[in-house]
Amino acid sequence: QVQLVESGGGLVQAGGSLRLSCAASGRTFRWYAMGWFRQAPGKEREFVGTISWNGDNAYYADSVKGRFTISRDNAENTVYLQMNSLKPEDTAVYYCAAIDSSDADLSHPTKIQAWGQGTQVTVSS
């Protein structure tokens, strides 16, 4: 079972940028597609984006498309979420997830195998 630890969250002004990292333990990192999700206070956890096991394909929620970019470094067992042009509505706890690579639709992943503990992102107006 892969274990995930996020970092890089914090407080930023609207229009600013942050880069989140998610470090995975174990040698099986490259077997997984990886995803980012977020949960704002009083709301359900929502999909942000995913990246395929080899990094060739990425999918994003409409709300972040063009502003957020997911990348991964399989040699370092790490996936990243670069967030630009941040808005107050991006405020949430951000979670990374390991996804079974057999999941047929990474734009709507369902085969979540592991979650990180989350990192808080707060965007002030």
Side-chain angles (χ1 to χ4, degrees), residues 5 15 23 40 47 59 115 117 123:
V5 178
F47 169 79
Y59 306 85
W115 292 98
Q117 84 289 352
V123 185

Side-chain angles (χ1 to χ4, degrees), residues 29-42:
F29 176 73
R30 62 175 56 84
W31 294 357
Y32 295 95
M34 296 297 295
W36 287 94
F37 295 75
R38 66 187 182 186
Q39 187 166 19

Side-chain angles (χ1 to χ4, degrees), residues 11-105:
L11 174 64
V12 63
Q13 288 189 331
S17 298
L18 279 175
R19 189 177 80 154
L20 306 184
S21 300
C22 173
S25 65
R27 298 182 179 182
T28 60
F29 176 73
R30 62 175 56 84
W31 294 357
Y32 295 95
M34 296 297 295
W36 287 94
F37 295 75
R38 66 187 182 186
Q39 187 166 19
K43 296 188 177 181
E44 294 187 352
R45 191 173 299 188
E46 66 175 5
F47 169 79
V48 173
T50 52
I51 188 166
S52 60
W53 70 273
N54 58 3
D56 283 354
N57 297 291
Y59 306 85
Y60 300 94
D62 288 343
S63 59
V64 307
K65 201 171 293 183
R67 299 188 298 122
F68 290 12
T69 302
I70 298 175
S71 60
R72 66 187 294 162
D73 184 339
N74 284 350
E76 296 294 328
N77 282 9
T78 303
V79 62
Y80 303 97
L81 179 65
Q82 178 66 44
M83 305 185 293
N84 298 329
S85 302
L86 282 160
K87 305 175 181 179
E89 52 263 44
D90 294 318
T91 295
V93 178
Y94 283 71
Y95 299 89
C96 70
I99 303 164
D100 190 313
S101 288
S102 69
D103 202 320
D105 184 1

